[in-house]
Amino acid sequence: MRFSPNIFTKLLEAIDRREFRAIVSRHDGDAYDKSFRSWDHLVALIFAQLSPTDSLRGLETSFNAQSQHHYHLGCGPVQRSTLSDANKRRPAAMFAEAFSQLALQLDRKTRRDGEDMVRLIDSTPLPLGKLCSWAVSNGRIKGMKVHVVYDPDTDYPRILDITDANVNDAQVGRTVEIEPGAVYVFDKGYCHYGWWTAIDAAGSAFVTRPKSNMGLEIAITNPLTETEGDGFTIVEDVQVRVVSKTWVKLPVSLRRVTVRRHETADQITLLTNDMQRSACQIAALYKGRWQIELLFRWIKQHLKIKRFFGKNPNAIRLQVYAAMIAFVLLRLARRTHRIVMPILRFTDLVIQCLFERRD
């Protein structure tokens, strides 16, 4: 009789074991614990994301209850104390690189219908409160932040970084490799003139919102040929220059587009270096930034990054990276097997049938 792997095994097939071993070797991931290998660790943390468990003891019990499947998963049983030690010592950079490899794979499997490459950049807080005494406060929350560069066309985060809560968004934004021809959409927290200049010099565009204290003066008023968009009206479209001694030396032409939203009747001001697209297209690009907020909401509601299996920074980073790896694995499986049902319904079915042998 032909062997049929369970759903969890098939989900993990997207991870190239040879590449993962190379990543482990580069980071010396098995240096501290050769009996509980990095692969075992990764499988256990991904299982935790797709199971009802929310504690190390519950993870140990539920995972070891499926011992008949361990051989085909390529792993062994889990011990709570061993997993706790591994969460503290195993390099989080190893899981970060594994996530990047999967993200590239998802990009290759996605068919491109248009030429525009839109990149949404934002961050979401991970409040830790009194749980972790080492957590840093930024004045609003005490904890960490997850920074994401998101591709709305392929529905996956291309870049993921985890920092303390007090790290400035623009500081992380400047580390993002700029893709020529891409359009970067971000909010006013990413205000950095030098970075904007680098984006412009690479032949890319950005759409953002100016800070309230940014001095702008009108240079040219553009005619409004099209004013009505999806849920908004264009009020103003002008070319501006920043009234700043430092900005005079930076060769970037700026354009200010003022938009009135129909729902709330309030106005928002957008700033861009894109002189080719219409004002409605610029406003639509910024409106599309809401998709990254939906991504953050989906992750927090359906993956486990609110309660953590460890209280040290490394354990929290490992759990977040494992959550994002699970996120990408679900989307890879959905695209590979051409599943047409909504991703939420598909995720629910995977969780319910995790160790069943079925298509």
Side-chain angles (χ1 to χ4, degrees):
M1 183 176 178
R2 183 180 178 184
F3 172 76
S4 177
N6 59 56
I7 294 295
F8 192 29
T9 302
K10 294 173 75 172
L11 199 67
L12 294 174
E13 286 176 355
I15 304 176
D16 190 317
R17 296 285 294 275
R18 183 178 297 178
E19 284 187 3
F20 185 75
R21 284 195 295 268
I23 293 172
V24 172
S25 178
R26 281 196 294 273
H27 294 276
D28 205 7
D30 291 337
Y32 295 104
D33 196 338
K34 292 180 172 58
S35 62
F36 186 61
R37 301 164 302 162
S38 298
W39 175 255
D40 299 357
H41 195 179
L42 178 63
V43 171
L45 290 183
I46 294 175
F47 169 78
Q49 293 296 326
L50 302 174
S51 67
T53 182
D54 59 358
S55 67
L56 284 179
R57 193 178 300 277
L59 173 58
E60 177 188 29
T61 302
S62 56
F63 188 76
N64 292 343
Q66 304 292 339
S67 58
Q68 71 274 23
H69 298 289
H70 290 176
Y71 174 79
H72 295 288
L73 289 171
C75 63
V78 171
Q79 292 184 350
R80 180 172 57 89
S81 59
T82 305
L83 181 57
S84 178
D85 291 339
N87 280 342
K88 185 182 299 183
R89 298 185 298 192
R90 186 153 278 143
M94 187 178 64
F95 280 22
E97 190 172 343
F99 164 79
S100 298
Q101 292 286 350
L102 278 174
L104 289 174
Q105 188 180 152
L106 185 58
D107 192 25
R108 289 194 296 268
K109 286 183 178 291
T110 303
R111 181 172 58 89
R112 300 284 183 173
D113 293 325
E115 297 181 355
D116 288 344
M117 294 188 299
V118 180
R119 304 289 181 258
L120 310 179
I121 306 178
D122 206 352
S123 65
T124 186
L126 292 178
L128 300 176
K130 298 179 181 179
L131 176 68
C132 305
S133 58
W134 51 264
V136 180
S137 173
N138 64 358
R140 295 193 303 272
I141 65 145
K142 183 180 180 182
M144 306 179 81
K145 280 200 294 189
V146 178
H147 304 264
V148 170
V149 178
Y150 177 65
D151 184 343
D153 294 326
T154 58
D155 184 28
Y156 83 96
R158 299 178 64 88
I159 300 174
L160 179 68
D161 196 7
I162 305 169
T163 67
D164 290 329
N166 65 340
V167 174
N168 187 272
D169 288 345
Q171 180 179 336
V172 177
R174 297 201 304 273
T175 65
V176 175
E177 182 180 354
I178 301 171
E179 301 175 70
V183 182
Y184 293 90
V185 185
F186 41 83
D187 63 16
K188 62 180 69 176
Y190 292 85
C191 179
H192 190 277
Y193 292 168
W195 183 43
W196 293 0
T197 303
I199 293 174
D200 185 76
S204 302
F206 62 85
V207 180
T208 185
R209 294 183 64 183
K211 289 191 173 182
S212 57
N213 60 352
M214 184 181 294
L216 299 172
E217 64 178 23
I218 298 175
I220 301 174
T221 300
N222 299 324
L224 293 176
T225 56
E226 182 183 3
T227 60
E228 294 299 324
D230 183 14
F232 58 83
T233 300
I234 304 298
V235 177
E236 182 187 50
D237 181 11
V238 296
Q239 295 183 34
V240 297
R241 52 177 171 263
V242 178
V243 185
S244 169
K245 294 181 180 179
T246 57
W247 187 261
V248 173
K249 304 175 184 178
L250 303 177
V252 178
S253 300
L254 288 177
R255 179 181 177 191
R256 184 177 69 192
V257 176
T258 305
V259 180
R260 183 173 64 248
R261 293 185 288 193
H262 294 169
E263 289 184 1
T264 58
D266 61 338
Q267 293 187 5
I268 63 170
T269 302
L270 306 178
L271 206 61
T272 181
N273 67 327
D274 191 334
M275 302 296 172
Q276 304 302 319
R277 291 178 175 83
S278 67
C280 282
Q281 289 175 320
I282 298 297
L285 282 170
Y286 192 81
K287 182 181 179 181
R289 199 185 72 84
W290 180 246
Q291 293 180 69
I292 198 170
E293 302 292 348
L294 297 178
L295 168 72
F296 291 146
R297 181 185 298 177
W298 196 96
I299 291 170
K300 289 185 175 182
Q301 287 180 348
H302 303 290
L303 297 175
K304 294 182 177 66
I305 58 171
K306 289 184 177 180
R307 298 186 63 178
F308 297 95
F309 300 131
K311 296 182 180 180
N312 60 82
N314 196 68
I316 292 173
R317 284 184 167 88
L318 284 173
Q319 187 169 334
V320 173
Y321 282 123
M324 298 309 298
I325 288 172
F327 176 88
V328 175
L329 286 175
L330 288 166
R331 275 149 178 76
L332 272 171
R334 183 168 177 252
R335 290 197 170 108
T336 300
H337 299 280
R338 299 180 180 179
I339 306 297
V340 295
M341 69 179 68
I343 185 61
L344 181 56
R345 173 64 176 157
F346 175 65
T347 302
D348 289 339
L349 285 176
V350 167
I351 291 172
Q352 292 173 18
C353 308
L354 199 59
F355 285 105
E356 292 187 20
R357 292 188 172 97
R358 60 161 65 186
D359 189 0

